[in-house]
Amino acid sequence: MNRSRPQSIRRRRGRTAVAATALLVGSLTACTVDSAASDDGVVDVGILSEYTGPLSLYGPAWESGFRAGLEELTGGTYEVDGTKIDIEVKDSAGDPATGQTAVRELLGNGTDIIVGTASSSVAVSVAQTAVENDVVFIAGAASTPALNAMSPGVFRTSVDVRTVNNAVLEMIKQNGGKRVAYVGQDYDYGQTQADAMASQAGEYGLTVEKFLFPTNTHDFTAGVAKVLASGVDTIYVGWTGEGLAQLFQALVAQNAFADDSPVTVTSLAPLPQEYATVANAVGDKALANFALVSVYAEDTTGTPAEKVVAEYVATEAEDTEIGAQQAYGYLGALALVRAIQEAGPGLAPADVHKALAGAKFDGVQGPVAIRAEDHLVESPMFEYRLVNKDGALRLDVVREIAFEQIAPPVDKALS
């Protein structure tokens, strides 16, 4: 999955049958889509995700999990009940305007379903356009709660930010924390996550103070000093993508990881491609006390789906190790195939809702489900430590956090 590829291509991977060329579309001011456009026996799938920009690791990883699922579920034919699946890939670069251009081009090309978006701000914009055009949208890693119950045709493959926050808060509580500093990026995702974590903390007997910095920050010296001076006992690093190593280096430089430090540092688990960066920034000694949270890391579950994705990644993809993004992508394939089987190739949003609301799947991370009321993904999460095993950096599971322990309430239900 070459991240330097052009924004719109159709490819052949393995035994995937796809068109040789993509239809070039000019500037579109509006799109109208026939929801029964698959009379030709083809479902056109548009993967719209992040292949360049700060979230450039997310798109390829989600796509590899998605393709691994389709290979397994269709026996390599990319056919479901006689309906062929064609795929077109576009890059949103994590920018809502670019995402809008891309989704309108996809819809103009006759795409029947949009999948894969990682950026929350892009996902909300794309979902709104999909709803307006009566097309199903299945988001990737985007964790904004705004997607929940947005429409019968809007789904997700990831947990939402409230689920993540509950898992983090549960872990911090179990590890003895009381006052938490949220350190993250000052944009839609970081703002949403920080606000949600602060509002949820009371249920766990914790308080959260928010420290948000511009997304292009690379010198965290002053920011970390401010965090450490606040008197918190736990620092939660919600930062993702570029700048993460510099943030950890600033924490190390100001002794946040020292044995006698009054604070404990926790974080979302990095992507596999970031393990070495994080380990080098934190240092081997500090890693033993550095708590990490994720939906999944390689060799956690031993599920059949885990084995399928691991084998695919080892032979067909550029990823070095599988993680949460591939797990999300695999769930996307499960949902697409179920939708075609039960809703038909027309993929009318109301019919897809009937097919997927309440559906249960055997995912990479274990049993997962789509909550009927709002399409929230019900998934366990895990606490990890980043360790060096046999010369390779890996996430070592500490404990599973069951979804029932961290399930957020239904704020809005689909009628």
Side-chain angles (χ1 to χ4, degrees), residues 42-288:
V42 176
V43 166
D44 289 299
V45 178
I47 298 180
L48 174 57
S49 195
E50 288 63 49
Y51 294 88
T52 59
L55 300 179
S56 61
L57 295 177
Y58 287 72
W62 192 94
E63 184 182 344
S64 66
F66 182 70
R67 288 182 179 273
L70 290 182
E71 286 279 338
E72 174 68 14
L73 296 166
T74 68
T77 65
Y78 275 52
E79 284 191 15
V80 178
D81 294 343
T83 298
K84 182 73 78 175
I85 296 171
D86 276 3
I87 296 174
E88 182 174 0
V89 179
K90 281 187 175 289
D91 178 17
S92 78
D95 174 63
T98 303
Q100 267 301 306
T101 298
V103 72
R104 291 186 179 280
E105 289 178 352
L106 286 168
L107 294 174
N109 289 353
T111 296
D112 302 300
I113 183 170
I114 310 293
V115 302
T117 311
S119 165
S120 289
S121 57
V122 174
V124 171
S125 175
V126 169
Q128 291 167 343
T129 299
V131 171
E132 290 168 2
N133 287 276
D134 203 30
V135 171
V136 172
F137 172 60
I138 304 177
S143 60
T144 173
L147 296 176
N148 296 337
M150 177 183 282
S151 168
V154 174
F155 299 84
R156 62 192 322 137
T157 56
S158 72
V159 296
D160 75 352
V161 69
R162 300 172 304 155
T163 311
V164 173
N165 287 342
N166 282 344
V168 170
L169 294 166
E170 175 67 23
M171 183 183 72
I172 291 172
K173 177 183 177 181
Q174 292 296 325
N175 293 334
K178 294 292 184 182
R179 292 184 60 200
V180 184
Y182 175 92
V183 179
Q185 289 137 312
D186 193 8
Y187 79 117
D188 181 69
Y189 171 79
Q191 294 160 5
T192 300
Q193 187 181 24
D195 289 343
M197 181 175 283
S199 68
Q200 292 167 239
E203 299 174 25
Y204 295 85
L206 309 177
T207 59
V208 172
E209 299 178 35
K210 297 173 286 186
F211 297 86
L212 300 177
F213 305 110
T215 58
N216 60 353
T217 301
H218 289 88
D219 184 351
F220 292 91
T221 304
V224 166
K226 185 177 180 181
V227 172
L228 293 174
S230 68
V232 298
D233 56 52
T234 305
I235 297 174
Y236 171 68
V237 177
W239 194 280
T240 59
E242 294 178 4
L244 184 63
Q246 290 88 340
L247 173 55
F248 284 133
Q249 288 164 356
L251 288 165
V252 170
Q254 298 187 47
N255 298 315
F257 288 105
D259 290 340
D260 59 350
S261 173
V263 302
T264 299
V265 181
T266 69
S267 175
L268 285 178
L271 296 173
Q273 299 94 322
E274 299 171 318
Y275 288 174
T277 299
V278 172
N280 291 336
V282 173
D284 290 341
K285 185 177 180 181
L287 286 178

